Amino acid sequence: MPILRLAVALSALAYGSYTDWRTRTAPDSCWLAMGAAGLIILATEMVEEDWDPALLLMLIPIGWFFFDLLIERRGIFEGGVNVPPLALYVVSMAIIAWFFLDHYHEERFWALLSVPLMFLLYFVLYIIDVIKGGADAKALIALSLLIPWYPVMDGLPLLPLPSDVAQYIMPFSLLTLFYGAILTMVVPVYYFILNMVRGDRRFPSMFFGVRMDISEAKKRFVWPMDYIDGDEVRTSSLPKGPESLEEHFASLESKGLTRIWVTPKIPMLIPLTLGLVIAAVVGNVIFFFI
């Protein structure tokens, strides 16, 4: 099962990274496929390993929460009561409440409960803008379902977990995000070296982007770092992105600018994919140093 889980995850993330790089969009079908595969594999694993049959009921809230996060629908109280999703939420919460009361002592219940808890975590991180892209949040939510616990194979990961409980303290998908975030720290170093070679030495902009002709920037997936503030041209190292790029570029050109600082839109899915590989091969370095 670990190899199958990793194969599905890597395939979906690699394809999502490719489309995100080419078009800056990633199809939801990638994450839906990951989640569907995760449910099937999880159910199969539970049956083959003789889990308490009652725990199969936990797949109802897990599956419903997952698909409801990824598939658009009418709000529960939008235009009247939307009965089907409301009923599914009532049933799902009732199942979880029953397990809390009757199976709270079972480790496997908490293992299953960690999956929707990770859904909630990534949803909150997206809402508060810690995770910037919707595709990134969906990918992590799907990964939480597809690989709910650390994949263990012959000789891998290189750093085994100190205990089974450790994987619930920092689930595998969260470790993947951690490694992905670490990898993004390479980008400022790359920009610094590139700008030093080119002679574009402006601090701190040289750590966050490059200089580019406006005519070229219009064709690329970039955010302009330069902007007009009153009558002055200023530079933001961490631009949020204007509502209209066309108008933004026009305003810069009106000031006689032909070359500006820009920061490329680098899809987070790429470091997440690499982070998945590192997490599977290396394991959790945090527990190694604790």
Side-chain angles (χ1 to χ4, degrees), residues 40-195:
I40 294 171
I41 294 172
L42 180 56
T44 303
E45 186 176 59
M46 292 171 69
V47 172
E48 289 182 348
E49 295 183 3
D50 294 324
W51 284 42
D52 182 348
L55 287 172
L56 288 169
L57 288 173
M58 279 293 294
L59 296 181
I60 295 176
I62 290 174
W64 167 240
F65 294 158
F66 171 77
F67 287 109
D68 192 45
L69 283 169
L70 268 72
I71 298 176
E72 293 186 8
R73 61 165 174 79
R74 179 168 63 89
I76 292 179
F77 300 107
E78 180 182 344
V81 178
N82 192 354
V83 176
L86 177 60
L88 283 168
Y89 269 110
V90 170
V91 170
S92 296
M93 296 308 295
I95 290 173
I96 293 175
W98 176 65
F99 275 104
F100 261 122
L101 295 174
D102 201 55
H103 293 259
Y104 65 90
H105 57 283
E106 294 186 30
E107 181 182 335
R108 285 177 167 176
F109 161 63
W110 293 102
L112 291 172
L113 186 62
S114 69
V115 177
L117 288 178
M118 294 309 298
F119 294 172
L120 178 61
L121 173 64
Y122 296 130
F123 178 74
V124 171
L125 290 179
Y126 174 69
I127 292 298
I128 64 177
D129 210 30
V130 173
I131 296 177
K132 301 293 184 180
D136 306 329
K138 292 174 183 178
L140 287 166
I141 288 171
L143 186 63
S144 300
L145 176 51
L146 178 58
I147 310 181
W149 27 83
Y150 284 61
V152 178
M153 299 164 284
D154 291 338
L156 296 176
L158 298 176
L159 301 176
L161 289 173
S163 67
D164 289 338
V165 177
Q167 65 183 331
Y168 308 131
I169 298 174
M170 188 173 191
F172 184 77
S173 63
L174 191 58
L175 179 65
T176 298
L177 175 60
F178 170 75
Y179 284 136
I182 294 296
L183 288 172
T184 61
M185 297 174 65
V186 175
V187 176
V189 177
Y190 167 75
Y191 287 151
F192 172 75
I193 295 173
L194 180 62
N195 286 317

Side-chain angles (χ1 to χ4, degrees), residues 210-225 245 249 252 258-263 265:
V210 296
R211 293 191 72 209
M212 184 180 293
D213 291 341
I214 292 181
S215 58
E216 182 67 18
K218 291 178 180 179
K219 306 173 187 176
R220 301 291 189 90
F221 293 109
V222 297
W223 291 124
M225 298 167 66
L245 280 173
F249 286 132
L252 293 171
T258 59
R259 191 170 176 82
I260 60 173
W261 283 94
V262 300
T263 182
K265 302 176 186 177

Side-chain angles (χ1 to χ4, degrees), residues 195-251:
N195 286 317
M196 286 293 290
V197 172
R198 289 179 173 179
D200 295 326
R201 300 165 186 172
R202 181 175 181 178
F203 183 85
S205 302
M206 61 190 300
F207 286 95
F208 298 97
V210 296
R211 293 191 72 209
M212 184 180 293
D213 291 341
I214 292 181
S215 58
E216 182 67 18
K218 291 178 180 179
K219 306 173 187 176
R220 301 291 189 90
F221 293 109
V222 297
W223 291 124
M225 298 167 66
D226 293 333
Y227 65 97
I228 305 300
D229 182 15
D231 292 327
E232 297 183 6
V233 178
R234 299 184 182 276
T235 303
S236 172
S237 297
L238 299 172
K240 294 183 178 180
E243 293 184 5
S244 172
L245 280 173
E246 184 177 345
E247 293 179 3
H248 192 92
F249 286 132
S251 67

